[in-house]
Amino acid sequence: MLKELDVSQDAKWKQRFRASTIGWTQIATQNPDRGLVCTNRDGIYQLYAWDVPSGELTRLTHHSAGVVFGSISADGEWIYYLDDAEGNELGHFVRIPFAGGEFQDLTPDMPDYASWYITESHSGNLVGLTAAAREWGFRIYVINPAGEIVFTYENENQAVGPNLSHDGTIAVIATNERSGSLDMSLEAYDIATGKQLGELYDEGASIDPIGFVPQADNEWYLAKTSKTGFGRPLLWHQRTGERRDLKLESVAGDVQPWDWTEDGRYLLLREIHQAQYQLYLYDLEDNQLIKLEHPSGSYNSGYFVGNDTIFVNVTDSLQPNRLVKMDMTGNVLETVLSSGDAPEAAQWQSVTFAGAEGDTIQAWLVIPEGDAPYPTIVHTHGGPTAVMTDSYSPAIQSWVDHGFAVFSINYHGSTTFGKPFQKSIEGNLGELEVLDIEAGVQWLLDNNIAHPEMILKTGGSYGGYLTLMALGKAPSLWAGGMADVAIADWTLMYEDQAETLRSYQKSLFGGAPEEMPEQMAKSSPITYVEAIKAPIHILQGENDTRCPSRQMHAYEDKMKAHNKHLEIVWFNAGHGSRAMGQSIEHQELKLRFAYRVLG
């Protein structure tokens, strides 16, 4: 049963949130002594200049809502990031010296735009970026050292890039113009002339961009195709049209190519199958796949340092994300950048059950001390094109600390379970996912894990959307629901959100709201408000451009009009909190809500 609610300053669950984590790292391609780190070591995620030999980190950004995206120049002299307002993800790309100082606006004459992409050529002679806005759709620019735009690409459809060749003569861009869905194809352009050099397209599949081999006078390009149903690496030469698909018969899951060695011989590959990770090397000279014997965990990113060393970010349910150094066999040599110390935690268990249409659904189960059945949190991840893996989660562990079981479901639409599984929800969002959630609850009850009158639903972003959908479409299952930065009305959301997300929504549904109003309504939680029985708690960011405020205000108004129990808290940030203190505050609000509704 429930343990006593502990909200003291030194509560174990609060200590979990205060354990710092290494979000991600990069190293300058032409200056490996310099790197860039995103970490919350000072209480909120910011960017830090990284002196690689000493491990010293120097804070560069001081945004009140934090900074979680950036890039380092090839020579290590500059750090790039999107300068936005209070986490709204709209602004201008700027650069700041590695040593710190005033930033320079890269696009001073442009209105604000949305973007998550900026890069440099390996030689450092050009910068490429994506800028998306309602006025023009998607634009991709290549800028020379003098600040002049030397290449422009425009598309009303979704587009990402550019990947630049080593010498900056070729730009590869990914777009969904052919498919109109989430499936991408690649286009290559000569930067000097603007002429298209080639196109790479797989019917009914997606080709996702990775990058050029890091060698001068070598124009081979690395990508990933889903034509087999799972991601597989391929090499493409844009000028000749030659293509080489790597044969990986012994690998069952989705394979993400990460990086090349400096000499171009080896590729670093990450497989995820049934939400489990495995790293490999691929020897391009001998056509040999080499399985690395590394510790278990979730491997979020990785790259080569030279030709014989691998740096990878790894986490698991017991430890926050950290950066470790491996040799070419997978042996961990040392921790390069450590995370903060976290209290002992409960181990996650991978389980499966029969979900919608009889498909096998994987989920993570975490149980507390004591005898079952337990009060239970049913969690769904964001995305939907994402997956929950064995990773450090202070929020999940805080529930376990208080006597709850937690059940996190990788529902239809999740990645790493095959392309058909991922694409099964497209055009009819919220249908199969809620059926999976209902089946998961039944599995919990059949196995005497969940107390039938003490089941709560939670999740953030798309997981928050599924929380509101489940409360409306399966109202008898729940004692309450807690949604963070959620989607409540797809039509109103489309009208207000940033262009990058408008394109994503169109791809998920197969059209805009005016083209399919009935489907948008069917897939919107606001449609099911009258059926809701349980109380709901919502945390929503005032500056969120992914799940904007107007659509949630409409949901709030309808809940009040039908005398439904809704507690909504608006906070001054964007799509979720990046600060430790605010995250603790939000979790305490949810804990207090759970204790109130469960008595």
Side-chain angles (χ1 to χ4, degrees):
M1 299 299 289
L2 288 176
K3 297 181 180 179
E4 183 178 350
L5 178 61
D6 184 2
V7 294
S8 61
Q9 272 298 103
D10 61 349
K12 182 186 292 187
W13 69 269
K14 291 185 179 181
Q15 295 176 38
R16 301 188 194 284
F17 279 93
R18 296 189 188 110
S20 63
T21 184
I22 303 298
W24 50 262
T25 66
Q26 294 178 9
I27 286 183
T29 56
Q30 301 300 320
N31 187 355
D33 285 347
R34 289 187 173 185
L36 177 64
V37 175
C38 180
T39 177
N40 61 352
R41 62 182 291 175
D42 291 330
I44 186 170
Y45 282 101
Q46 302 283 1
L47 301 183
Y48 292 75
W50 172 27
D51 182 76
V52 178
S54 68
E56 181 180 351
L57 301 182
T58 303
R59 183 167 166 177
L60 296 175
T61 60
H62 297 81
H63 282 42
S64 59
V67 180
V68 295
F69 165 77
S71 181
I72 189 169
S73 65
D75 60 10
E77 292 294 326
W78 298 97
I79 304 300
Y80 301 97
Y81 65 94
L82 187 74
D83 185 46
D84 66 2
E86 297 296 335
N88 69 354
E89 300 178 311
L90 298 172
H92 282 205
F93 275 116
V94 299
R95 69 176 190 175
I96 187 172
F98 182 85
E102 296 297 318
F103 67 71
Q104 301 174 9
D105 192 335
L106 298 183
T107 53
D109 299 326
M110 292 174 58
D112 287 350
Y113 49 82
S115 183
W116 302 317
Y117 188 90
I118 187 167
T119 189
E120 271 197 354
S121 60
H122 283 287
S123 59
N125 62 334
L126 294 173
V127 175
L129 61 90
T130 300
R134 192 74 53 87
E135 296 82 2
W136 62 70
F138 286 78
R139 286 181 182 170
I140 290 173
Y141 296 103
V142 177
I143 303 171
N144 68 16
E148 302 166 331
I149 296 174
V150 296
F151 174 85
T152 303
Y153 170 97
E154 294 191 40
N155 200 323
E156 293 183 359
N157 297 279
Q158 188 175 6
V160 180
N163 285 143
L164 300 172
S165 60
H166 190 282
D167 59 3
T169 59
I170 301 174
V172 172
I173 293 164
T175 173
N176 71 342
E177 186 172 16
R178 274 184 171 269
S179 71
S181 69
L182 295 180
D183 291 340
M184 308 294 279
S185 59
L186 302 184
E187 300 173 359
Y189 291 88
D190 182 289
I191 291 174
T193 65
K195 177 183 176 182
Q196 184 172 328
L197 299 175
E199 182 182 15
L200 193 61
Y201 175 65
D202 279 342
E203 185 71 38
S206 185
I207 299 183
D208 300 327
I210 307 298
F212 283 91
V213 61
Q215 289 180 306
D217 303 320
N218 190 329
E219 294 179 345
W220 281 100
Y221 184 83
L222 179 62
K224 181 179 80 169
T225 177
S226 64
K227 69 177 183 177
T228 66
F230 287 93
R232 291 292 181 266
L234 67 92
L235 302 176
W236 177 44
H237 199 284
Q238 311 83 54
R239 296 189 191 275
T240 66
E242 187 178 355
R243 170 176 173 165
R244 177 184 173 189
D245 288 82
L246 303 190
K247 305 301 182 184
L248 304 175
E249 289 86 353
S250 62
V251 179
D254 188 83
V255 176
Q256 177 73 18
W258 268 349
D259 197 19
W260 309 74
T261 49
E262 288 182 358
D263 60 12
R265 175 170 179 173
Y266 292 97
L267 297 176
L268 179 60
L269 309 178
R270 180 196 67 182
E271 177 200 16
I272 312 181
H273 184 53
Q274 300 289 318
Q276 308 280 352
Y277 288 76
Q278 177 61 51
L279 302 183
Y280 298 88
L281 299 181
Y282 193 91
D283 186 335
L284 291 167
E285 289 187 10
D286 295 338
N287 292 321
Q288 181 183 6
L289 183 69
I290 304 166
K291 182 178 181 180
L292 301 188
E293 301 300 328
H294 56 75
S296 62
S298 292
Y299 289 83
N300 302 311
S301 62
Y303 48 89
F304 290 108
V305 180
N307 290 315
D308 58 5
T309 302
I310 304 168
F311 279 14
V312 290
N313 280 71
V314 60
T315 181
D316 54 43
S317 55
L318 306 181
Q319 298 182 75
N321 205 26
R322 57 209 180 275
L323 182 70
V324 301
K325 177 181 178 181
M326 290 180 176
D327 62 22
M328 298 290 274
T329 70
N331 179 45
V332 175
L333 303 175
E334 62 176 299
T335 298
V336 180
L337 294 171
S338 61
S339 57
D341 294 329
E344 184 178 349
Q347 185 73 53
W348 295 15
Q349 307 170 44
S350 178
V351 301
T352 58
F353 60 91
E357 301 183 337
D359 290 338
T360 298
I361 303 299
Q362 187 271 341
W364 295 100
L365 175 65
V366 196
I367 59 174
E369 297 177 349
D371 297 328
Y374 310 102
T376 299
I377 301 293
V378 176
H379 171 266
T380 44
H381 64 75
T385 49
V387 64
M388 191 67 168
T389 62
D390 181 18
S391 54
Y392 183 75
S393 173
I396 285 179
Q397 293 290 350
S398 72
W399 293 113
V400 180
D401 288 338
H402 285 88
F404 289 83
V406 180
F407 195 60
S408 186
I409 301 172
N410 280 319
Y411 49 82
H412 276 85
S414 300
T415 57
T416 79
F417 298 92
K419 198 68 173 180
F421 187 87
Q422 178 183 329
K423 293 173 71 67
S424 62
I425 67 170
E426 292 181 13
N428 188 22
L429 273 63
E431 184 73 24
L432 296 179
E433 304 97 299
V434 172
L435 292 175
D436 290 339
I437 293 167
E438 292 181 77
V441 170
Q442 190 59 53
W443 184 90
L444 290 167
L445 295 172
D446 291 344
N447 286 275
N448 194 40
I449 294 168
H451 190 295
E453 297 178 0
M454 303 180 77
I455 303 175
L456 302 170
K457 176 72 189 72
T458 191
S461 193
Y462 197 86
Y465 159 70
L466 291 180
T467 295
L468 301 184
M469 284 291 279
L471 269 288
K473 295 189 71 174
S476 62
L477 297 180
W478 313 106
M482 296 159 286
D484 298 349
V485 292
I487 302 161
D489 185 318
W490 285 105
T491 297
L492 292 181
M493 189 170 85
Y494 183 85
E495 292 175 3
D496 295 350
Q497 68 186 171
E499 187 62 25
T500 45
L501 276 301
R502 282 164 59 92
S503 175
Y504 181 66
Q505 182 176 329
K506 281 181 64 176
S507 299
L508 281 173
F509 277 97
E514 60 269 22
E515 300 172 287
M516 43 182 49
E518 293 182 0
Q519 183 59 56
M520 292 286 178
K522 179 187 175 187
S523 294
S524 292
I526 198 170
T527 302
Y528 307 97
V529 162
E530 293 179 54
I532 291 172
K533 297 179 181 179
I536 299 177
H537 182 278
I538 296 175
L539 288 162
Q540 203 76 10
E542 295 172 342
N543 308 314
D544 194 347
T545 56
R546 303 195 202 187
C547 301
S549 61
R550 186 165 66 104
Q551 51 102 30
M552 189 53 71
H553 282 301
Y555 186 83
E556 181 182 12
D557 291 344
K558 189 170 182 179
M559 287 283 286
K560 290 179 179 178
H562 288 278
N563 296 312
K564 304 297 181 179
H565 183 147
L566 174 65
E567 301 176 17
I568 186 164
V569 177
W570 294 89
F571 60 95
N572 184 29
H575 195 62
S577 174
R578 299 169 182 172
M580 288 178 183
Q582 193 174 58
S583 297
I584 292 171
E585 176 188 337
H586 288 176
Q587 184 62 22
E588 183 172 328
L589 288 171
K590 286 182 279 192
L591 283 164
R592 290 184 181 277
F593 171 82
Y595 273 68
R596 284 197 302 275
V597 301
L598 296 181

